[in-house]
Amino acid sequence: MTVPEDRRRWSVIWPEYAPVEITPPELRPVALARQVPDWAEGHATPEQVGDWDQRQADALVPFKFDEYGWPLHPHGRTGRTGRNLGKWGENQAADPIVIAGRGEHRAVLLITRDDIGAEAIPGGMVDPGETAPVALVRELREETGINLADLRPVILGRQVVADWRNTDHAWVTSTAALFRLSEQVTATAGDDAADAGWFPFGCLDQLESAVTAAGRTLYTAHRPLLLCALEYLNQNGRS
């Protein structure tokens, strides 16, 4: 369902609110009792989670709970309920934004996601016990074959992203980081990528046009992250 902007905040009383359940079959209680997917936790409801204090302490973006002890999306109502992610509450992702060249020759590395077919930053979820800096390098290597372990990135920000799987009680946050290369290197699609390649990145409109010309679409959730990269590049000169 669509949530009007004036009713998004949790502090706004909305008795008629009826979010759509989007939990896939494999994460529903009966299925989890038989087998837990290797990418997900086995808790069918948030009440079964025993480490909420630690999850709150580790969160990139602070969050609260409702009167039933369920975690609440930091930005308010989403119109969706349930879980279509690995964990209840915050699910941390790492998104490496790789830029090659400068000026009119500047380009950004994107992958074609094999789940939704959109052009996106080559990132993914942080594994249990893994740090975001390690996940940035790992995801990039797994999805494009490019190893930038020796290159120190600039952390652009840590924020909630508008992932299509977000619900009122499970959502994605991202550590976005900028890697700069002097020139383009060969990228080979792997892992969750159907394709990988470079697109012109003078501005977001230029990128959108190039992606459209290739018969593809840009992943909506990654637009704000790409804008952050452009702002950084434009503000720090030698772009």
Side-chain angles (χ1 to χ4, degrees), residues 65-168:
F65 297 88
D66 65 13
E67 64 270 32
Y68 305 107
W70 287 44
L72 293 173
H73 191 294
H75 290 179
R77 297 180 175 95
T78 65
R80 299 178 296 275
T81 191
R83 172 169 67 109
N84 194 12
L85 290 160
K87 297 166 54 180
W88 291 102
E90 182 179 271
N91 291 256
Q92 292 190 22
D95 290 303
I97 302 174
V98 184
I99 305 297
R102 298 181 183 277
E104 63 181 11
H105 301 296
R106 193 168 67 194
V108 63
L109 178 65
L110 298 179
I111 63 164
T112 306
R113 288 180 50 152
D114 63 5
D115 56 349
I116 56 176
E119 295 302 297
I121 297 164
M125 294 300 175
V126 177
D127 288 340
E130 186 178 44
T131 64
V134 171
L136 286 163
V137 172
R138 175 184 56 77
E139 285 289 343
L140 182 62
R141 184 179 62 249
E142 291 177 354
E143 296 193 345
T144 70
I146 297 174
N147 188 352
L148 297 184
D150 295 332
L151 190 62
R152 184 174 181 176
V154 174
I155 302 299
L156 296 173
R158 299 172 175 88
Q159 59 269 304
V160 177
V161 295
D163 193 279
W164 63 279
R165 296 163 294 183
N166 286 355
T167 71
D168 290 350

Side-chain angles (χ1 to χ4, degrees), residues 24-79:
E26 64 269 23
L27 294 183
R28 294 183 179 177
V30 173
L32 287 175
R34 294 195 303 265
Q35 180 181 5
V36 178
D38 58 7
W39 52 271
E41 66 182 3
H43 304 310
T45 65
E47 292 100 323
Q48 298 174 359
V49 176
D51 63 343
W52 280 122
D53 288 345
Q54 188 61 52
R55 294 193 190 194
Q56 280 192 301
D58 293 341
L60 296 184
V61 179
F63 64 91
K64 298 179 180 180
F65 297 88
D66 65 13
E67 64 270 32
Y68 305 107
W70 287 44
L72 293 173
H73 191 294
H75 290 179
R77 297 180 175 95
T78 65

